[in-house]
Amino acid sequence: MTYETIDQESILKLMDIFYDKIRKNEKLGPIFNNAIGTDNQSWQEHKKKIGNFWMGMLLGEGNYTGQPLKAHLELPPFPKDFFEIWLELFNESLKSIYKDDITNIILQRAQMIARHFQNMLYQS
């Protein structure tokens, strides 16, 4: 199904598709599984939490209360180029459910967040 608008349903669908790709990725999967856990319940909670983050970013709604940068700062070190893998998987996921104009809007936000995180994680 292709969504023509950004809404809660489409964001939750995006989380399902994206995190399924993350869990299976040979480089990112171990990092996420270490941080989140390997059981489906932990992943469901994570997808709901991050879905709320994106609802806030894209719709001005949701109840996200986390500190995403802090969570990333507390992870064991990982290569900077893993952000490119994350963005590629996110873009693939976006393209699978949204039209190009919506994909581009959301991807720009994700790229902005990734750049900020990279700047904070790899200050040197």
Side-chain angles (χ1 to χ4, degrees):
M1 173 178 195
T2 301
Y3 291 88
E4 296 187 20
T5 60
I6 303 169
D7 59 16
Q8 289 184 2
E9 178 185 333
S10 68
I11 291 171
L12 294 175
K13 180 72 173 170
L14 174 63
M15 295 298 101
D16 285 340
I17 293 168
F18 174 62
Y19 283 112
D20 186 51
K21 291 177 183 290
I22 291 288
R23 287 179 84 174
K24 293 175 183 172
N25 184 273
E26 64 183 25
K27 293 180 179 176
L28 298 183
I31 295 169
F32 278 81
N33 283 320
N34 240 6
I36 295 165
T38 56
D39 61 288
N40 287 334
Q41 179 63 35
S42 296
W43 277 92
Q44 289 300 328
E45 291 170 13
H46 182 72
K47 289 188 290 187
K48 182 178 178 184
K49 181 177 184 175
I50 303 305
N52 275 323
F53 169 81
W54 283 106
M55 286 177 204
M57 287 286 293
L58 300 169
L59 303 173
E61 52 189 65
N63 59 359
Y64 181 79
T65 59
Q67 297 176 316
L69 179 57
K70 183 178 183 290
H72 287 78
L73 289 169
E74 293 172 350
L75 291 172
F78 57 90
K80 186 176 182 178
D81 65 337
F82 280 18
F83 277 97
E84 290 305 315
I85 298 167
W86 184 93
L87 283 168
E88 182 180 317
L89 295 175
F90 195 69
N91 189 32
E92 287 175 12
S93 302
L94 288 168
K95 287 181 176 184
S96 73
I97 63 169
Y98 291 112
K99 295 194 176 281
D100 287 344
D101 57 335
I102 295 174
T103 292
N104 293 335
I105 291 167
I106 300 172
L107 184 61
Q108 286 176 355
R109 295 272 179 102
Q111 290 168 332
M112 178 190 67
I113 293 166
R115 278 192 303 273
H116 176 66
F117 282 16
Q118 285 175 320
N119 289 338
M120 298 307 291
L121 289 167
Y122 304 101
Q123 299 175 19
S124 52

